[in-house]
Each structure stands twice: as C-alpha cells, then as structure tokens.
Amino acid sequence: MAATYDFPSDLLAGQEELHQVRAELSALLKRLPWSVVPLDGFSDEGGWRKVERPASPGWTEDEQAEVEKLRRREHELAVFVSGHRFWAEVTAPDRTDARSSLKHEHEHAHEKD
C-alpha cells in the first residue's frame, strides 16, 4: 500500500495552481502560430518524416506577453512547490514517492467529491 502524506494546504494550493497554469499555457501554445516571429511556410520531405508548416503570421505583442506571464507564473509555482518546507519533513528515501503523490493529489480530491 502506498504511503499517504498530510500535505499542508498552501502546498496543495500551489500544486493545484501549477497544474492549472501548465494546462492554460499548453492550450494557449496550441492555439498560437508555430513561430513567434512571422516566417514563410515550408515543406521538407528529405528527412525520415515529412515536415510541413504553413506560413506563420507570428505572435502579437499581447500573445507574447500572455505566454511570458504564464511561463513566469509557472516558474514561480514550481520553485514554491519544490522548495516548500514540507519536503524537509519527509525522509530522503520517501521524497520521490511523496512528490509523485502530490502531483496526483488533485485526481484523488476529485474522486472524493
């Protein structure tokens, strides 16, 4: 049976927000053109797989600012979660399991609802 951990509420909140920010950033990057700057399209059939890209109009200043804002917040949250004082309370051999458990805690929280 896997160990259970009594994660502090601020650590749980930080991890949950990190999940949300990463999902939002991923969705935004999927919507944006493939190139940050305007570039012509291309087709390359000479490699091991065909690669094609349509012309890219590039990202607007607002899009670039939104991506930067989300990346900055993602970094802040990752530093907060990974450097949280809670990890000092977990023995070194158990930290990997505890960190994995924290990453999946939101899945278990929804099961309880």
Side-chain angles (χ1 to χ4, degrees):
M1 184 174 153
T4 57
Y5 301 93
D6 189 19
F7 297 113
S9 61
D10 64 331
L11 180 57
L12 288 168
Q15 182 65 52
E16 181 63 26
E17 186 180 352
L18 182 57
H19 281 301
Q20 292 169 358
V21 167
R22 285 181 172 159
E24 189 176 338
L25 179 59
S26 177
L28 176 60
L29 291 172
K30 286 178 183 174
R31 287 193 312 269
L32 292 175
W34 63 271
S35 175
V36 177
V37 297
L39 286 176
D40 293 335
F42 67 89
S43 178
D44 178 15
E45 297 181 21
W48 62 275
R49 65 182 178 105
K50 184 177 179 179
V51 177
E52 288 185 313
R53 294 277 191 265
S56 173
W59 297 357
T60 66
E61 286 185 20
D62 287 344
E63 290 167 338
Q64 290 180 46
E66 182 65 15
V67 168
E68 179 60 29
K69 181 182 110 184
L70 289 170
R71 284 182 173 156
R72 195 173 320 117
R73 185 62 183 150
E74 177 187 30
H75 180 260
E76 290 168 356
L77 289 164
V79 168
F80 171 78
V81 169
S82 64
H84 196 279
R85 68 189 176 281
F86 172 78
W87 302 119
E89 301 170 12
V90 180
T91 63
D94 294 331
R95 280 191 200 127
T96 301
D97 181 59
R99 287 179 189 262
S100 180
S101 182
L102 175 66
K103 289 179 182 181
H104 296 284
E105 184 70 23
H106 70 286
E107 297 165 4
H108 302 299
H110 295 298
E111 291 171 359
K112 296 173 190 172
D113 293 341

